[in-house]
Amino acid sequence: MTSIRMDPKAFAVGRPSAELDRHVADALIDATVSLLHDKPRGEITVRQIAAVAGVNKAMIGYYFQNKDNLFLALVDHLLKRLSDAFCIIEKSIEKIDLQERNPTRIIIESIIETYSEHSVGLRLLITEIQFNSQLKQLYVEQLCSRPTRVLKRIIGRLVTLGYYRADLDPNFTTFTIEILLCQLIMNENVMEPAFGFSPGRETTQKWVDYLVEIFDRGFRPIAALGN
């Protein structure tokens, strides 16, 4: 989404068109994401969001009722994007030749790319799960019914095809992949001081290579490891 500058006078008479509705709502969500790069949710004000979006702050009440509902809309938008991305991964796995391409690499590279694209929203979600909030409830409910469910299907299919071990648990495997890959997003700011890694594409690719090797050693049948 791209932030747009709106003239508050445009809303002076009548209800705005559906297209304008969507543009303004998207601009407010986009502005919120932008602000989350620099400050936690609790420090972001309605006035700041409206200023970045280029609209009157009354528009937040018009479209979302309040700031909390705006954050709920942001999380819902993020989870839908993640769900779509995971479905694309699933389709990629369905079409590949398992003798020629490594599905573990496709899974890991695709998820890291998706998480990196939505890093701000993911950090918000992971922070919010500590609290008993509507955001936590939405995250838990939607995570189970969207990306995680798709990844479980992918793992289950690879088990059925014999590419992964027959005793591999799709639930624990999905949990392990999700937790490990989230860490790249969460620990971006401590990679260099704590581990001596410079954040960037080269480090990410080395970590992908490392994870693919580690996961494949654990996921693949012993007889297949020599291939």
Side-chain angles (χ1 to χ4, degrees):
M1 292 181 294
T2 303
S3 295
I4 55 175
R5 287 275 163 190
M6 303 298 299
D7 181 359
K9 294 179 181 178
F11 302 98
V13 179
R15 179 176 177 79
S17 68
E19 183 179 358
L20 191 57
D21 268 350
R22 187 67 262 164
H23 278 299
V24 177
D26 284 351
L28 289 167
I29 291 175
D30 194 44
T32 307
V33 170
S34 177
L35 287 165
L36 283 167
H37 279 283
D38 301 314
K39 56 184 68 181
R41 178 168 81 103
E43 294 182 11
I44 297 174
T45 67
V46 168
R47 188 180 298 277
Q48 290 169 341
I49 295 170
V52 173
V55 302
N56 188 295
K57 68 177 183 177
M59 291 302 100
I60 292 177
Y62 181 86
Y63 289 100
F64 300 102
Q65 294 186 319
N66 53 50
K67 188 177 76 170
D68 287 342
N69 282 344
L70 171 55
F71 275 96
L72 284 171
L74 186 159
V75 170
D76 187 60
H77 171 78
L78 170 64
L79 290 170
K80 286 176 181 175
R81 293 290 298 273
L82 291 179
S83 179
D84 290 344
F86 274 60
C87 287
I88 291 172
I89 298 171
E90 184 175 29
K91 290 178 181 177
S92 298
I93 298 296
E94 289 174 354
K95 296 177 181 178
I96 68 167
D97 184 336
L98 295 177
Q99 301 300 316
E100 295 183 358
R101 299 188 65 192
N102 186 333
T104 307
R105 178 171 293 278
I106 293 174
I107 292 169
I108 292 174
E109 285 184 337
S110 299
I111 293 176
I112 286 181
E113 181 179 348
T114 301
Y115 282 1
S116 297
E117 183 181 351
H118 302 291
S119 58
V120 171
L122 281 167
R123 281 195 288 269
L124 170 66
L125 287 174
I126 293 169
T127 301
E128 286 297 320
I129 61 176
Q130 301 178 65
F131 306 103
N132 187 22
S133 67
Q134 286 182 292
L135 289 180
K136 174 183 177 179
Q137 182 180 349
L138 180 65
Y139 173 64
V140 172
E141 289 177 355
Q142 298 301 329
L143 182 68
C144 293
S145 64
R146 291 178 179 174
T148 298
R149 183 172 295 178
V150 176
L151 187 52
K152 286 180 186 178
R153 284 203 307 264
I154 294 171
I155 302 300
R157 179 172 181 272
L158 291 170
V159 169
T160 300
L161 292 173
Y163 189 86
Y164 287 165
R165 291 165 24 204
D167 63 336
L168 196 68
D169 186 320
N171 202 39
F172 276 113
T173 304
T174 297
F175 177 75
T176 302
I177 291 173
E178 289 273 18
I179 292 298
L180 282 175
L181 299 190
C182 277
Q183 294 308 307
L184 182 67
I185 306 303
M186 294 302 295
N187 293 328
E188 202 173 59
N189 295 325
V190 300
M191 288 174 67
E192 193 158 13
F195 300 100
F197 297 146
S198 298
R201 183 175 295 277
E202 184 178 351
T203 297
T204 299
Q205 188 57 54
K206 287 181 179 178
W207 197 54
V208 167
D209 294 340
Y210 181 78
L211 286 179
V212 170
E213 182 180 354
I214 293 296
F215 282 156
D216 264 353
R217 285 184 179 276
F219 293 173
R220 301 288 301 280
I222 293 176
L225 291 178
N227 297 336

